[in-house]
Amino acid sequence: MIGGRRPLHGRKVADRRVHVGRPHAPYFRYTGPGMLTAKAAASMAPAASRGPAQTIRRFLFGRRLSNEEEAFERLPKKLALPIFSSDAISSSAYATEEILRVFVVAGAGALLVSIQMALAITGLLAVVSLSYRQVCRAYPSGGGAYVVARENISHLAGLVAAAALLIDYVMTVAVSTAAAVAQVYSVVPQLYDVRIEIALGAIALITVANLRGLREAGLFFASPTYVFVGMTLLMIGLGIVRIAGGAGPVTAPPVDRIVPLGTQVLGIVLILRAFAAGSVALTGVEAIANGVPTFKPPEAKNAANTMLTMAILLAVLFIGITVVADAFGIRPTGEGGPTVVAMVAAAVFGDGTLPFLVFQASTALILFLAVNTSFNAFPRLAAILAHDEYMPRQFGFRGDRLAFSWGIVALATVAGVILVIFGGDTHALIPLYSVGVFVCFTLSQAGMVRHWLTVREPGWWWRAGVNACGGILTLVVLTVVTSVKFVDGAWLVIVLIPLQILVFLFVHRQYAASRAQVALRPDQVAPEPHRHERVVVPVSGLNRAVIQAVNVGRSVSNDVRAVLVAEDPVYAEEVRMAWGRQVPGVPLVVVESPYRALTGPFLAYLEVLDHSWPPEKEAPITFVVIPEFVPRHWWERLLYNQSTNELRRALLGRPDTVVTSVPYRREESDAFRRPEAAGEPD
Amino acid sequence: MPDKPVPAFACAVVALNGGPSDAQILRLVLELAKPAHAEVVAVHVVEIDWTLPLDADVAQRSEEAQRVLDVAENQAEHAKFELEAVLVQARDVGAALVDEAVERDADLLVLGLPYRKRFGGDFAIGRTVPYVLKNAPCAVWIAREAMPEEHRP
């Protein structure tokens, strides 16, 4: 019997015992003196509010996970690779095309330089990856460029990196989704007109998968990534075999779809533009460094090794696709046409063949899944910023499945809006994409140089050298990317980063100010209450709910009065007569309201009370005790408590005023109506 | 073909006293109970002095007493086993344990025994263990803690 004691007789006459109830057991367990730990049952919604919404939630997101289960959500390397590397690896699906789109304006000769450009970009990739491996080892708590820049350069530098990263993650979701949809309508051109809807649906699906938790997301995302890598390596291999066998340019798509060859001179500007465009291949490289804590132990070592695997894969895929595209003379097409990688696949596997369709499907899938890298990194970075009080604290909360729900939903929402605004066009979005990435790269490398110069661990000199080299290179790329893409859209990122930083600083200032206002000095001891307390009970008449509220008020203070704001003087008089008879000892103040207002006259009466208080005495605390009827059904909420809610809102923030609601439940009224329930209402 | 092994017990009552031996005996019993799908009842008895009524509000207010069973439940949960936790107030611990075992028709009663020495140097077995050994109708396992270093020859 919960909470009860049932005496039991033993085998011998004097042997009696009592079973003691443990009412806390279903909800809590004692884990220390004065400490309780909530069980899953305590974290569930109250029975009254459990309904279809809770069932759907459970179906979509699964059961709640406790903090102790967090370890089981850690990722082994083979799951971490697809989760954190799908963004980087998938960029090989469009990086080549971005280079070709720039070179095509300079004619066929310029297209031949695409391989050298790809090699140059791969060189940069090698330096950046090597640098980030060091970030993984030096900062196993994650946070990537933000933590590195904050700890080694300045807080402001950290915020610049954080702002750039957050913008970059949003753009990753938008760009990758748009690119994935482009793969889809490369195969089924009729879907071009519904590309936005497909993109938003994909984002919604990935959002739900991430809200289910990291491990489940990994299991969902692993296969398509590995299929894409396998198919692309097969495509590159077959392509090289065919090239070695003498295969030449392939039959191109209809002339009106291909971007025509231009006649511009292949000068330094064009080369830099191509480099800036192709450097989109490096996006996503930092994700592993941000997510080191999610790896199984030893976290830093596993993350660094995964980084190396990712870099090698990306380099092979990027260069391979560029080589095959160049050998087959593939040129980019206009809006709505097939992508370069789709044309490469058609040339190697044959258009419409099963391997071609599998490759296209896996490419579309990995581009969708590249989004997932951001869904892991963005919420984690937002949580770190929330912990440092640069973002609202809600971003640090973990949901039912140990995922940072607020960050996930925020990312999905903003990315969806951007997709809609830009009409789902990859090429319109890419200029915004690379700037943030290279800001982070530059700041993190600079931060790592200072880190090695400070700690001077064994090998610090060559490590600092690697990071310095990486930082200089990425600074050059950042300058190039910003200048060549400035008019195309990079200016927006340049504007957004400072705006985001202002928001960070504003939030930080707010939290610091409110903390300072409520802080206690260490030597301060809480004083006994010393101010006079008075109770004012707003009433609409004389009933059980009002009596209950009045009695609660009487338990707070002897200075209790009820206030009736009435439009009808006759009704007011009736209530006064009954009140005097049935509620002795509690004065009733009637405020006639010829203007038919309720809240205003009540507030004015409270003002009058305040002004009547002797100025030499400390201001009293006014408890406004509001009787409230508890509706049993949802539709009753529309019928009751409207004035109560309005009054409560008006009183919120009023100085020296405490607002207390006293709920009155209909079950209590039913109980009093039963003949056997005698006695006065309490 | 070898005969299927007979489970050690179908229902075991495990007496917990809040000491370090609790985790060990519970782990042992759970390991044996799980494959046999046996029932395990964890019992903690709070002895009530004769100066107080038997149903005095002692155990329910005692966080310590509640924690003994909470820890046992947590341990069982980690082992993916559901055990029944019972908190009892009685005049005599041994009698209460035997009566619980009888009421539940348990075929095993397990107790932990700390290694203690009486003033004078003899090993102190206490009152509860001899009573249980003498009166329990079912099998009784006593798990004594390891001898501390200072007592070892």
Side-chain angles (χ1 to χ4, degrees):
Chain A
M1 194 158 68
I2 293 205
R5 291 168 182 81
R6 143 170 91 99
L8 301 164
H9 291 277
R11 296 185 310 158
K12 299 180 186 173
V13 172
D15 291 343
R16 288 165 66 228
R17 66 194 190 283
V18 169
H19 277 180
V20 179
R22 301 172 63 233
H24 74 284
Y27 305 107
F28 302 99
R29 63 173 187 270
Y30 281 96
T31 46
M35 274 186 58
L36 290 165
T37 298
K39 292 183 177 177
S43 305
M44 282 175 64
S49 66
R50 269 180 245 152
Q54 287 291 327
T55 309
I56 292 169
R57 188 189 167 106
R58 175 104 182 201
F59 172 74
L60 274 179
F61 305 126
R63 66 171 181 87
R64 280 175 184 263
L65 299 177
S66 71
N67 289 345
E68 291 155 348
E69 295 178 271
E70 194 265 342
F72 298 104
E73 290 290 296
R74 298 282 191 101
L75 299 169
K77 290 199 287 283
K78 55 178 167 308
L79 277 188
L81 182 68
I83 285 184
F84 287 105
S85 306
S86 50
D87 178 14
I89 291 174
S90 68
S91 58
S92 62
Y94 49 81
T96 302
E97 178 159 349
E98 294 306 311
I99 295 172
L100 295 177
R101 280 190 182 277
V102 173
F103 278 152
V104 77
V105 302
L111 291 173
L112 296 174
V113 190
S114 59
I115 296 177
Q116 287 86 333
M117 184 57 65
L119 285 170
I121 292 170
T122 305
L124 180 62
L125 168 66
V127 172
V128 171
S129 303
L130 210 55
S131 299
Y132 267 101
R133 268 172 62 84
Q134 304 196 75
V135 173
C136 289
R137 291 187 187 277
Y139 291 93
S141 56
Y146 166 64
V147 171
V148 173
R150 185 193 68 197
E151 292 193 6
N152 295 290
I153 304 175
S154 69
H155 273 265
L156 185 59
L159 292 180
V160 171
L165 269 174
L166 290 179
I167 292 169
D168 178 54
Y169 290 142
V170 169
M171 297 314 303
T172 299
V173 173
V175 169
S176 293
T177 309
V181 172
Q183 292 300 317
V184 170
Y185 63 68
S186 292
V187 179
V188 186
Q190 295 84 350
L191 292 178
Y192 178 76
D193 293 327
V194 292
R195 64 194 183 283
I196 305 279
E197 289 81 357
I198 297 173
L200 293 177
I203 289 178
L205 194 62
I206 294 173
T207 303
V208 169
N210 277 275
L211 288 171
R212 280 194 75 97
L214 195 58
R215 191 170 176 82
E216 290 214 16
L219 292 169
F220 178 63
F221 297 141
S223 306
T225 305
Y226 286 119
V227 168
F228 170 78
V229 170
M231 289 303 295
T232 310
L233 289 172
L234 177 67
M235 180 181 75
I236 292 169
L238 286 176
I240 289 173
V241 164
R242 287 189 56 184
I243 293 165
V250 297
T251 308
V255 172
D256 59 351
R257 301 284 285 277
I258 294 184
V259 174
L261 291 171
T263 54
Q264 279 190 35
V265 174
L266 180 60
I268 186 69
V269 170
L270 213 59
I271 289 175
L272 288 176
R273 284 183 68 100
F275 188 80
S279 61
V280 73
L282 272 73
T283 53
V285 166
E286 80 292 341
I288 291 177
N290 293 340
V292 176
T294 57
F295 281 77
K296 277 195 179 333
E299 294 90 344
K301 184 178 170 208
N302 286 337
N305 290 343
T306 306
M307 172 80 71
L308 181 64
T309 308
M310 178 208 72
I312 292 171
L313 274 176
L314 176 56
V316 168
L317 297 179
F318 178 37
I319 294 174
I321 290 173
T322 308
V323 164
V324 176
D326 176 73
F328 286 154
I330 289 178
R331 283 157 45 193
T333 58
E335 192 177 328
T339 60
V340 163
V341 75
M343 288 190 282
V344 169
V348 172
F349 293 130
D351 198 2
T353 59
L354 181 62
F356 169 77
L357 293 172
V358 170
F359 174 78
Q360 281 299 96
S362 67
T363 305
L365 274 175
I366 196 176
L367 285 167
F368 279 128
L369 301 182
V371 165
N372 195 57
T373 305
S374 293
F375 272 95
N376 281 287
F378 179 103
R380 193 164 290 278
L381 177 59
I384 294 174
L385 288 166
H387 178 263
D388 292 343
E389 295 187 333
Y390 287 109
M391 283 186 76
R393 289 183 185 130
Q394 293 90 319
F395 284 90
F397 296 161
R398 285 185 182 247
D400 292 352
R401 303 285 298 177
L402 294 169
F404 295 109
S405 312
W406 277 73
I408 291 170
V409 172
L411 174 61
T413 307
V414 176
V417 167
I418 287 177
L419 258 175
V420 171
I421 291 172
F422 282 83
D425 182 2
T426 315
H427 309 301
L429 291 166
I430 279 184
L432 286 79
Y433 194 12
S434 309
V435 176
V437 168
F438 284 96
V439 168
C440 299
F441 286 164
T442 307
L443 284 171
S444 71
Q445 302 318 306
M448 287 305 294
V449 171
R450 286 204 69 177
H451 169 80
W452 297 124
L453 290 175
T454 306
V455 300
R456 305 236 171 187
E457 286 172 4
W460 66 269
W461 56 273
W462 68 265
R463 293 181 203 277
V466 168
N467 285 129
C469 185
I472 292 168
L473 280 174
T474 52
L475 179 61
V476 167
V477 174
L478 172 63
T479 310
V480 167
V481 167
T482 309
S483 49
V484 300
K485 293 187 180 182
F486 188 83
V487 176
D488 294 333
W491 65 268
L492 185 58
V493 179
I494 306 294
V495 167
L496 282 176
I497 289 178
L499 281 178
Q500 181 69 68
I501 292 172
L502 286 175
V503 171
F504 288 156
L505 293 174
F506 173 78
V507 170
H508 191 72
R509 199 171 305 124
Q510 290 302 308
Y511 280 134
S514 65
R515 191 172 45 252
Q517 281 177 358
V518 299
L520 276 179
R521 293 192 314 273
D523 59 315
Q524 238 172 328
V525 176
E528 297 280 338
H530 56 275
R531 291 168 67 177
H532 178 78
E533 290 161 356
R534 64 181 173 212
V535 175
V536 179
V537 184
V539 303
S540 56
L542 179 57
N543 54 52
R544 294 179 193 276
V546 165
I547 297 298
Q548 187 169 278
V550 166
N551 283 335
V552 167
R554 277 163 150 174
S555 69
V556 172
S557 168
N558 293 327
D559 180 0
V560 181
R561 73 197 72 192
V563 174
L564 169 68
V565 178
E567 298 172 22
D568 181 359
V570 173
Y571 172 72
E573 188 55 32
E574 285 172 11
V575 173
R576 183 200 292 283
M577 298 295 291
W579 189 279
R581 201 174 57 246
Q582 293 181 272
V583 195
V586 178
L588 173 70
V589 175
V590 174
V591 176
E592 284 190 32
S593 178
Y595 295 99
R596 299 164 304 285
L598 291 175
T599 304
F602 183 79
L603 290 177
Y605 179 73
L606 292 182
E607 290 297 317
V608 167
L609 281 183
D610 286 346
H611 288 131
S612 310
W613 189 257
E616 65 277 10
K617 284 189 179 174
E618 198 176 7
I621 297 179
T622 303
F623 286 79
V624 178
V625 180
I626 305 177
E628 190 171 335
F629 187 75
V630 178
R632 284 194 291 201
H633 307 286
W634 65 267
W635 46 267
E636 287 181 338
R637 291 196 190 113
L638 301 171
L639 302 178
Y640 301 107
N641 299 324
Q642 302 307 314
S643 306
T644 302
N645 293 337
E646 186 191 330
L647 181 60
R648 199 184 298 112
R649 277 193 298 272
L651 287 168
L652 204 63
R654 188 176 187 278
D656 300 317
T657 306
V658 175
V659 181
T660 304
S661 291
V662 179
Y664 186 82
R665 292 173 181 77
R666 189 91 66 81
E667 291 79 17
E668 293 161 1
S669 165
D670 293 342
F672 279 111
R673 244 185 244 115
R674 288 197 296 272
E676 61 271 20
E680 301 297 326
D682 49 46
Chain B
M1 191 147 154
D3 290 334
K4 245 169 124 175
V6 178
F9 53 87
C11 173
V13 168
V14 183
L16 304 176
N17 58 12
S21 60
D22 282 1
Q24 289 171 345
I25 58 173
L26 192 58
R27 186 169 52 242
L28 171 68
V29 172
L30 290 177
E31 270 176 24
L32 294 170
K34 224 173 145 181
H37 303 288
E39 195 186 328
V40 175
V41 182
V43 178
H44 179 56
V45 183
V46 175
E47 203 166 77
I48 301 297
D49 192 71
W50 285 96
T51 58
L52 292 170
L54 185 59
D55 58 356
D57 198 7
V58 172
Q60 192 163 67
R61 284 181 181 271
S62 167
E63 276 187 25
E64 197 55 47
Q66 301 283 3
R67 192 156 60 236
V68 170
L69 290 172
D70 285 349
V71 168
E73 279 181 333
N74 194 36
Q75 187 177 347
E77 206 177 290
H78 279 293
K80 296 190 179 7
F81 190 94
E82 206 170 312
L83 64 67
E84 186 185 345
V86 178
L87 183 59
V88 177
Q89 284 183 185
R91 298 295 183 198
D92 184 78
V93 175
L97 289 174
V98 171
D99 290 335
E100 279 294 324
V102 167
E103 182 184 315
R104 294 172 187 282
D105 202 21
D107 42 15
L108 176 65
L109 180 51
V110 183
L111 292 87
L113 177 63
Y115 188 92
R116 278 189 302 235
K117 282 199 170 181
R118 262 196 282 261
F119 182 74
D122 285 343
F123 175 70
I125 201 170
R127 290 184 298 118
T128 303
V129 168
Y131 182 95
V132 169
L133 285 171
K134 192 175 164 192
N135 292 280
C138 57
V140 179
W141 293 356
I142 308 292
R144 197 215 69 186
E145 286 173 10
M147 193 185 293
E149 279 294 333
E150 57 268 23
H151 294 302
R152 290 183 193 182

